[in-house]
């Protein structure tokens, strides 16, 4: 005769997601929770899903909550994030709360492999070497088909150290002009457009290569940038 084990039924604990926080990498469009260290006083530690969402689980009765949250990138590749999130009482059948925020990359950001990017520093003058924060930086590429300039469609922002990373996004099906004679590694005709306030200035032509990162060996001085785009190579 086979003995039957009498197993007690375990207690069921219902876990409810109080809120999911999506801190989004603006270049990849993906949630970057795995790259962030998150702190929220008075709440249990958050968990990070495979999709990169930062999730707080709630087992308490439904009531209004105030979530004070701070998040810092583990390598400093994003600017710190801080906010106060007001969480309403949980209603039966209501959809889970997802709070989506776009992060700001710093000069330590590393563009995804296979993407053309420019990393560098921005200062006011060569003599003073004062970092310029908050400048908008874009990569401009000369079109192969006409006289149009191809905007990188992504705007980098210089950080407190003057560091920035600009990345080329979708060019809308157009193709950039190649250097003449063509370089074996796909040299492109391109430069930086830097905007401070309402003023935009331009760097000289840069040694850009298709689908590769370029790190400028010296800072860009705002005072030395030109009011007009550089002359195109003949």
């Amino acid at each position: 005769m086979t003995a039957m084990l009498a197993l007690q039924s375990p207690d069921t604990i219902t876990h409810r997601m109080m809120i999911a926080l999506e801190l989004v990498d603006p270049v990849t469009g993906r949630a970057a929770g795995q790259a962030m260290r998150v702190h929220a006083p008075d709440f249990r530690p958050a968990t990070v899903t495979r999709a990169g969402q930062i999730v707080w689980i709630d087992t308490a009765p439904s009531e209004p909550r105030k979530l004070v949250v701070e998040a810092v990138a583990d390598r400093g590749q994003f600017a710190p994030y801080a906010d106060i999130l007001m969480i309403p009482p949980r209603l039966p059948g209501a959809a889970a709360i997802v709070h989506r925020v776009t992060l700001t990359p710093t000069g330590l950001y590393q563009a995804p492999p296979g993407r053309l990017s420019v990393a560098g520093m921005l200062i006011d003058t060569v003599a003073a070497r004062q970092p310029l924060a908050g400048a908008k930086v874009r990569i401009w590429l000369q079109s192969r088909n006409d006289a149009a300039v191809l905007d990188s469609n992504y705007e980098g922002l210089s950080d407190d150290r003057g560091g920035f990373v600009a990345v080329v996004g979708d060019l809308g099906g157009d193709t950039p002009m190649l250097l003449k004679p063509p370089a074996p590694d796909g040299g492109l005709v391109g430069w930086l457009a830097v905007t401070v306030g309402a003023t935009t200035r331009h760097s000289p032509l840069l040694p850009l290569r298709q689908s590769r990162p370029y790190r400028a060996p010296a800072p860009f001085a705002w005072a030395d940038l030109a009011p007009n785009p550089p002359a195109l190579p003949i």
Side-chain angles (χ1 to χ4, degrees):
M1 180 175 179
T2 303
M4 301 295 293
L5 294 178
L7 300 179
Q8 294 182 344
S9 298
D11 294 335
T12 300
I13 300 176
T14 301
H15 293 283
R16 302 179 180 88
M17 187 182 77
M18 183 175 70
I19 188 172
L21 177 62
E22 288 187 353
L23 300 179
V24 180
D25 179 334
V27 177
T28 65
R30 303 190 189 99
Q34 299 286 357
M36 307 297 291
R37 298 192 304 273
V38 182
H39 178 62
D42 304 325
F43 285 88
R44 296 180 180 180
T47 59
V48 181
T49 68
R50 291 184 179 180
Q53 288 183 323
I54 302 166
V55 175
W56 282 269
I57 300 299
D58 186 11
T59 59
S62 177
E63 60 183 17
R65 306 291 180 88
K66 181 172 69 172
L67 179 67
V68 181
V69 58
E70 298 177 351
V72 178
D74 54 8
R75 295 184 292 103
Q77 65 270 40
F78 299 107
Y81 164 79
D83 201 357
I84 299 176
L85 306 179
M86 306 305 298
I87 304 172
R90 185 174 57 250
L91 299 176
I97 299 174
V98 179
H99 187 71
R100 186 178 177 90
V101 178
T102 301
L103 294 170
T104 301
T106 68
L108 299 177
Y109 181 81
Q110 292 184 352
R115 298 285 291 274
L116 171 59
S117 63
V118 176
M121 304 286 291
L122 183 64
I123 58 177
D124 55 354
T125 65
V126 173
R129 300 186 68 85
Q130 181 68 32
L132 283 184
K136 301 172 183 178
V137 185
R138 290 177 180 262
I139 299 174
W140 281 14
L141 299 169
Q142 185 64 37
S143 172
R144 178 187 294 183
N145 301 319
D146 52 37
V149 171
L150 304 178
D151 195 328
S152 63
N153 206 25
Y154 170 77
E155 191 171 74
L157 194 69
S158 60
D159 58 26
D160 292 341
R161 302 178 301 105
F164 66 85
V165 177
V167 184
V168 170
D170 183 11
L171 295 177
D174 205 339
T175 53
M177 178 185 292
L178 298 177
L179 289 174
K180 298 179 181 179
D185 51 356
L188 303 177
V189 179
W191 62 95
L192 293 182
V194 182
T195 301
V196 175
T199 303
T200 298
R201 296 180 181 177
H202 303 265
S203 76
L205 293 176
L206 301 176
L208 304 181
R209 299 292 181 264
Q210 295 189 64
S211 305
R212 293 190 182 185
Y214 170 73
R215 178 165 291 279
F220 295 93
W222 171 252
D224 295 337
L225 299 180
N228 299 312
L232 300 181
I234 299 176

